[in-house]
Amino acid sequence: MSEKISQTINFVKEKLTGAEAGHDWFHIERVWKNSKKIAENVDCNLQVVELAALLHDIADPKFHDGDETLALKISEDFLKSIEVENALIEQVLFIIKNISFKNRGEVLEETPIELKIVQDADRLDAIGAIGIARTFNFGGFKNNLMYDPGIPSKLDMTKEEYKKSNGTTINHFYEKLLLLKDLMNTETGKSMAEDRHQFMLKFLDQFYKEWNSED
C-alpha cells in the first residue's frame, strides 16, 4: 500500500467517526476493496480509483443540507496537503462529483474508466444483503415508514424530487436498488451485481409473504 493511500485511509476514518452506519468507514472500505477487485480486469489508473473510492462519501450531501460542493472542497484540500499531483486531483474530483445515482442524468455518455469502476463498486454496496441492511438502517435514521401498501413507488423522479423524497423503505427498492443491476458499467460489476439483485428479489418475496401473513 502506498503512503498516500495509507494517509487517505487514516484521514477518512477520522473524518467519518460517528457517521450514519450506512455511510461510515466500513461502507468506504467495502467500496474501496470492490473497486480494486474490479480494477484488476481493466486498464486504469489504480491510484485515482483508490483515492476516489476512499473519498467518495467524505461529505455525503444527504447529511450536509444537500451541499454537493463540500465533499469536493474537503477532498481537494486534503489531496493537496499530501501532495497529490493536480492532474490526479482533478480526476478524483470528477469521480466524486459524478458518482451519485441521482446525478446519472448529468454525466456525459463517454466517461473515464476510473469513474465506471468506483461507481460500480459503490452501487454494489447498495444492493444485496448489505444493500438491504443499509437501506433499512437509513430509513430508520430518517424515521421513514418501512412499508405502506397505499403509498406507490415514484419512478423516473427528477434529481430534485429524488433528493427530497421521504418515501417508504420498501419503495426505495423500486426507485433505486432494483435499477442498479442494469446500470453497471463493467463486466466484473455486472457479474457481481447479478447474485445480489436476485437476493433482493427473494427478500422482497419473503417480505410480502410475511407482511400479508401468507406463511
Side-chain angles (χ1 to χ4, degrees), residues 153-209:
S153 302
K154 296 180 180 178
L155 303 179
D156 300 320
M157 284 186 283
T158 65
K159 176 179 176 178
E160 290 306 312
E161 288 172 335
Y162 182 83
K163 286 168 64 176
K164 296 176 182 177
S165 175
N166 284 309
T168 73
T169 299
I170 287 296
N171 282 357
H172 191 61
F173 282 78
Y174 301 95
E175 293 166 353
K176 178 181 178 181
L177 308 192
L178 294 174
L179 306 177
L180 295 179
K181 176 179 71 73
D182 292 332
L183 294 176
M184 303 305 266
N185 303 295
T186 66
E187 291 306 313
T188 302
K190 291 174 184 177
S191 176
M192 294 173 69
E194 187 61 44
D195 285 345
R196 299 184 187 212
H197 183 82
Q198 294 303 319
F199 186 89
M200 290 192 298
L201 293 178
K202 291 176 183 177
F203 168 80
L204 289 170
D205 284 344
Q206 185 66 22
F207 181 92
Y208 293 129
K209 285 179 183 178

Side-chain angles (χ1 to χ4, degrees), residues 48-102:
V48 170
V49 167
E50 291 194 65
L51 290 173
L54 289 167
L55 291 166
H56 82 279
D57 262 348
I58 200 65
D60 190 308
K62 288 192 291 292
F63 306 105
H64 297 276
D65 298 320
D67 187 348
E68 297 185 35
T69 65
L70 184 58
L72 299 173
K73 184 179 187 315
I74 292 172
S75 298
E76 183 175 15
D77 289 347
F78 168 73
L79 293 172
K80 285 182 176 177
S81 77
I82 62 170
E83 300 181 343
V84 173
E85 297 174 25
N86 286 336
L88 297 186
I89 291 176
E90 289 302 315
Q91 293 177 64
V92 171
L93 296 181
F94 181 84
I95 293 171
I96 294 171
K97 182 179 179 181
N98 293 288
I99 190 173
S100 176
F101 174 79
K102 69 180 181 301

